[in-house]
Each structure stands twice: as C-alpha cells, then as structure tokens.
Amino acid sequence: MSYVYIKMYLNDPVLKLISKTAFENNTELYVIGGYVRDTILRRPTKDMDIVVVGSGIDFAKKLARAMGGKTSVSFYKSFGTAMLRYNGHEIEFVGARKESYRKESRKPIVESGSLDDDQKRRDFTINTLAVGLGRENYGQLLDPFNGMEDLKNRIIRTPLDPGITFSDDPLRMMRAIRFSAQLNFQIEKYTLKAIKDNRKRIEIISQERITDELNKIMQSEKPSTGFNHLDKAALLEIILPEVHAMKGVDVVEGKMHKDNFYHTIKVLDNLSKKSENIWLRWAALLHDVGKPRTKGYAESGWTFHGHDLAGAKMIPSIFRRLKLPLNEKMRYVQKIVQLHLRPISLSGEEITDSAVRRLLFDAGDLVDDLMTLCEADITSKNKETVRRHMNNFKQVRKKLQEIEEKDAVRNFQPPVTGDEIMETFGLPPGREVGIIKKAIKEAILDGVIRNDKEEARKFMMEKAKEMGIES
Ligand code: ATP
Ligand code: MG
C-alpha cells in the first residue's frame, strides 16, 4: 500500500505542539473531519477535532500540562471528550469510537474502537479524512473511503450505505444539504435518493438543530443550492410547507403565472450577492409567502392582491415553529415582507413627494434594506426589462435621499408632542389630543407643512380652532 502524505497542510503551530506531546507519550492520534476538509479546501476553520486511539481526556491532560497553564481545558466525562482552548482554536480530543444506533434516537450507543471504526461512523467521505500526528505517521493521510477524490470532484457521499447512514442519524440529511450549499458540492445520486427515502425520519430531530442547518444554508454564498436540494429531497414540504406551497404554476385560458418558488430562490441569490444580513435573507425567502393564499384569476390574468399583508401575517407562526427569535428580528422580517411592494408602486413615471415621504415614515431605518430586496426582486431574463426596472429604482433611491434631506421623516419624531398640545389647550389626555397629533403628522407627510416646530405649532392652532377648541 502506498501512503499519501499531506504535511504541507499541517501548518498550524498548535499541531506541532500536539504531535510533540504525542511523540513523548507514544500516543497514536489523528486530526480528522471538518478541519482537514476545510484546510484542504483553503476555507477558514477554527474548531479542530483530534481522535486519540485510547483516552482523549488523558491526552488532553498531558497536553495541558505540557503547555504550562497557557490554556483552559474542559472535560466532558460522560462523552469521553475534552475541549481545549488555545490561540483562538477550540480543540476537541476524543477517543476513537465505534457507534451503533437504535431506531428512536439519533444518539448512538458508543464503545471504544479503532481509527477505522471512528472513520466509519462519520457522515460523509469528505468528513472522514484523517491525518496522522504521531511519530510514525506524521502527515500521513488515512482515506479509506476516497474522500480526497470526492473533495476534488466536489461530491457529498456517505462512506457506508446511505440509507442506514441517514436513518441512524437523520440530522445528516440536513448536513448533506447544508454542505452542498456551503461548499457548492453536488450530492451524489444514491445519497440524494436515500435522503428522499428517509425524509420522514427528520421527525426525530429537534427543530433547533434543523433551524441551525437552515441558517447555515441561508448564510451560504448561493442559498438556492440548499433550498433546491431540500425541494428535490422532499424535505421542503415537511420543514417549510409555506415555502413549498409557492411551487407550481396554474394555467387558465392559456395564461400562466411564474413559479413563485423558483422566483423566490433566485431573489434570495440576487440578494445574497448584495447583503450578508441573515434576516434580510429570511425576508427574501418569505417575501412572497402570502401568494398561494391570495392567488386569483381575473379577466386580465393572475393576481395576488394583498399578498404582502397576508405574507406579513404569516411570519410570526413560521418563526415560532422554526424556533427563530420572536423579537425585533422577527418584526424586521415582517415589516420588510409587508412593505416589499411599496417601492415598486413608487417607481412609476411620476413619483410624488408625499408618497416618498410616507414610505420613509413607514419603513424608517429599514428603507435601505427594503430597496436592496426590491432590486433583488427583479428576476426577468430580459436584459432591457432589468435595466429599466433598475433605473426606476435608482430614481426612487435618489428621491428618497432628497426628501429625507429636506424633510427628515425617516425616524419621525413629532415636532409638537402630546404634552405640548395638552398644555396649550388645557386638555386632558384623550381623543382630541390624538386627532390633533395625527393631523400634524399627516400634514407633514402630505407636504402641507414642513417638518418644523414653528409651522407645526401654527398648524396646530388652526386645527384646534377648526375643532372648536380654544387656547
Ligand atoms: P462545521 O464545523 O462547518 O459545522 P464539521 O464537518 O466540522 O462542519 P462538526 O459538527 O464540527 O462539523 O463535526 C466535526 C466532524 O464530526 C465532522 O467533520 C464529521 O466527521 C463528524 N460529524 C459531525 N456530525 C456528525 C453526524 N451527525 N454524523 C456523523 N458524523 C458527524
Ligand atoms: Mg467543525
């Protein structure tokens, strides 16, 4: 048997330290999994997994001693692992193990084993790569499943029977799809088929873990890869039925609408080129989620009246089910979904100042993100159409800026407060104060008066008089 050595990848000084201690203690150990994969792919990586043939905890103790207290180690006895933090790394030491599964749980029964056993229990061939750090085998690649080949050909494949791999731990289905999106890899045919066959097993996985993987898909360079795979594996309808419902086209009298799922994931990709903001990306995925329930056919063609508001109303229940945060992040997504048609309605020939002011008022600080989404929402294949729409939005952005500089309504603070109104007219808190306050705000948004204290006070006096209130 010929051996491949990949010493050139072992540049991190911490590996030298680990291996020195291993030499001195005659310990057999390997760096394995994600660290090896990402180093070869030249992706940044922080966490490092070390498999020790023997006890991971004992070795970590020896290493910590050798490092002379320049590190902190935590021991997890029940897992047989130790975690050492060093120079920004999180290094996990674990004894080589063999695993077996029961049907109702993804938690395996664990016994100690050889390196070979340990590689067999891993999810994908590209995650089985191990590199020796011992005296005899420093830099030697152990690759029983041809992971290097799959890494080169950019393929996700399970080392053992994919059906058993996914049934044992169904989280691996999400991991496969997440890696395909993160790394831009293909999922091998039988592996993908096995995901589809085992999709119902996802039930035994906690929502938190599923959502964790969804968020990783969301943060990848081209999230559509992940959502396409979720769809192909029929996991989408289980995890995100509202998004799945956007699939398909109807035809009436020869007229069809676009497939809103494919449109959506294209929008998501477009947006992801412009923004890393994960919540804006969620808003892109969900911006048209109200379409299926508002779909109608009228003489002129397909309509989705009110899908913006219908979609916004769906956000809290989707977030709750997915265990996404129910705080300002959710409200942000909801607001973007609700407002996503507004800039489009502004981009006609005549943009009135008051319409622009109202958008600034309603969107506040979200207005820039909203514009970014609207620009990403242009998915036409016709270059001329794209150019025209982009140009329109350029005008809208310009107008938004002009009006904001002039009227400052983006984070509107009423120039006259409720207290001042009460004081001026000797009014108790109540309906009348509210009416005057609202009238002032409307007058500013409509451009009747400027966003200015003096003008607002004058307007207040007139409004009160009109209502029969004396100062
Ligand atoms: P990332 O750190 O980007 O999430 P990773 O592959 O490093 O990716 P980890 O969760 O850090 O993932 O796990 C480290 C290694 O442990 C993996 O490379 C893989 O070999 C193994 N592993 C992790 N989760 C599983 C699993 N569910 N089934 C089998 N092996 C797994
Ligand atoms: Mg990792």
Side-chain angles (χ1 to χ4, degrees):
M1 186 162 170
S2 68
Y3 293 109
V4 176
Y5 284 83
I6 56 166
K7 284 193 191 118
M8 65 281 199
Y9 290 111
L10 304 182
N11 291 325
D12 202 297
V14 80
L15 289 169
K16 300 251 155 59
L17 259 168
I18 293 170
S19 113
K20 185 167 172 281
T21 309
F23 287 6
E24 286 162 9
N25 293 281
N26 240 336
T27 308
E28 182 185 348
L29 45 68
Y30 303 84
V31 56
I32 195 166
Y35 180 85
V36 180
R37 178 198 70 220
D38 287 341
T39 306
I40 296 173
L41 289 174
R42 302 196 185 286
R43 295 178 81 233
T45 125
K46 278 217 180 93
D47 54 339
M48 194 182 267
D49 294 294
I50 307 286
V51 167
V52 181
V53 179
S55 162
I57 290 184
D58 287 352
F59 181 79
K61 277 184 189 157
K62 286 176 193 150
L63 182 66
R65 216 172 298 134
M67 284 174 165
K70 275 185 275 175
T71 173
S72 77
V73 208
S74 329
F75 300 102
Y76 305 95
K77 283 228 173 63
S78 51
F79 296 105
T81 64
M83 161 83 87
L84 198 142
R85 277 172 223 282
Y86 185 78
N87 251 352
H89 284 294
E90 285 192 352
I91 313 170
E92 191 169 299
F93 294 87
V94 58
R97 51 170 70 174
K98 196 175 172 170
E99 291 181 345
S100 50
Y101 287 83
R102 294 148 295 171
K103 185 148 177 67
E104 68 288 354
S105 166
R106 66 174 288 266
K107 294 208 172 64
I109 300 161
V110 176
E111 48 193 316
S112 54
S114 62
L115 176 73
D116 194 52
D117 293 325
D118 203 283
Q119 285 175 296
K120 277 192 188 124
R121 74 177 175 89
R122 292 176 184 265
D123 48 4
F124 307 112
T125 58
I126 59 167
N127 288 347
T128 62
L129 297 172
V131 185
L133 297 178
R135 188 189 290 278
E136 309 297 329
N137 62 2
Y138 189 84
Q140 184 188 325
L141 177 70
L142 285 112
D143 181 14
F145 302 106
N146 281 328
M148 202 62 162
E149 184 97 1
D150 284 344
L151 208 51
K152 240 185 252 152
N153 297 326
R154 311 181 82 78
I155 288 172
I156 313 277
R157 180 202 321 263
T158 58
L160 304 178
D161 179 328
I164 295 170
T165 304
F166 293 126
S167 173
D168 278 352
D169 176 2
L171 181 66
R172 293 166 179 162
M173 304 193 284
M174 291 302 297
R175 282 175 56 89
I177 292 171
R178 179 259 288 200
F179 283 124
S180 81
Q182 265 183 340
L183 307 175
N184 192 17
F185 276 32
Q186 302 283 334
I187 302 178
E188 181 268 335
K189 195 167 90 186
Y190 296 103
T191 301
L192 187 60
K193 182 177 179 305
I195 298 180
K196 191 167 182 185
D197 292 344
N198 282 281
R199 63 188 182 278
K200 297 245 163 67
R201 294 277 294 152
I202 198 73
E203 277 173 10
I204 70 163
I205 304 297
S206 75
Q207 186 59 52
E208 285 83 350
R209 282 186 190 277
I210 295 171
T211 297
D212 205 33
E213 298 297 331
L214 281 178
N215 277 334
K216 286 180 181 169
I217 292 172
M218 231 11 151
Q219 282 165 306
S220 65
E221 210 174 294
K222 199 168 165 237
S224 67
T225 307
F227 288 100
N228 252 322
H229 275 129
L230 285 173
D231 175 41
K232 283 207 189 93
L235 273 165
L236 189 68
E237 57 214 76
I238 302 177
I239 300 171
L240 284 165
E242 301 87 349
V243 173
H244 180 258
M246 289 194 278
K247 270 196 77 170
V249 287
D250 284 333
V251 185
V252 173
E253 293 169 351
K255 282 191 183 154
M256 61 198 278
H257 61 78
K258 64 184 164 201
D259 183 304
N260 287 307
F261 171 69
Y262 292 110
H263 164 68
T264 289
I265 58 177
K266 178 87 186 100
V267 175
L268 180 56
D269 282 353
N270 287 347
L271 180 102
S272 300
K273 286 190 197 124
K274 303 277 177 202
S275 172
E276 306 252 317
N277 177 348
I278 187 169
W279 304 109
L280 187 53
R281 292 181 179 200
W282 272 107
L285 182 75
L286 300 173
H287 78 284
D288 275 345
V289 81
K291 275 192 171 176
R293 56 182 63 180
T294 54
K295 180 154 75 174
Y297 187 81
E299 291 144 52
S300 51
W302 290 98
T303 62
F304 302 92
H305 292 309
H307 77 268
D308 40 353
L309 193 60
K313 283 191 180 145
M314 293 163 72
I315 303 300
S317 62
I318 295 175
F319 265 55
R320 195 168 303 121
R321 195 188 68 241
L322 293 181
K323 301 244 157 62
L324 285 166
L326 301 173
N327 56 15
E328 78 278 5
K329 308 293 186 207
M330 180 196 78
R331 288 189 291 279
Y332 166 93
V333 172
Q334 195 170 25
K335 202 161 164 185
I336 298 259
V337 173
Q338 179 164 351
L339 295 175
H340 83 268
L341 295 176
R342 291 278 293 278
I344 300 168
S345 65
L346 276 190
S347 58
E349 283 110 60
E350 271 300 307
I351 311 177
T352 66
D353 286 8
S354 70
V356 174
R357 243 180 258 116
R358 282 189 184 275
L359 178 60
L360 278 167
F361 175 76
D362 290 337
D365 278 340
L366 274 59
V367 77
D368 294 323
D369 289 352
L370 184 64
M371 289 306 298
T372 307
L373 173 63
C374 287
E375 283 160 0
D377 203 359
I378 307 169
T379 59
S380 167
K381 286 201 180 73
N382 183 330
K383 283 217 174 83
E384 176 50 29
T385 311
V386 173
R387 201 195 58 77
R388 204 180 64 241
H389 286 313
M390 283 306 278
N391 209 29
N392 270 335
F393 280 136
K394 219 161 132 191
Q395 301 301 323
V396 176
R397 277 197 192 257
K398 207 167 129 216
K399 196 88 190 178
L400 282 164
Q401 199 181 344
E402 279 169 21
I403 298 279
E404 178 56 20
E405 274 165 18
K406 192 153 68 81
D407 299 335
V409 286
R410 185 166 161 153
N411 285 309
F412 184 78
Q413 295 296 333
V416 180
T417 65
D419 282 347
E420 283 175 77
I421 298 171
M422 287 190 276
E423 213 169 284
T424 311
F425 302 105
L427 286 173
R431 218 171 63 91
E432 285 167 317
V433 182
I435 293 173
I436 297 174
K437 225 177 135 182
K438 179 145 185 260
I440 296 171
K441 185 190 91 186
E442 294 293 319
I444 292 169
L445 293 180
D446 283 339
V448 176
I449 59 170
R450 285 180 304 154
N451 189 3
D452 167 271
K453 180 125 189 155
E454 213 163 295
E455 287 193 30
R457 277 201 72 90
K458 199 162 148 242
F459 181 86
M460 170 186 79
M461 299 310 289
E462 283 164 18
K463 179 74 193 173
K465 200 166 163 200
E466 193 188 301
M467 291 167 70
I469 299 167
E470 301 288 333
S471 62

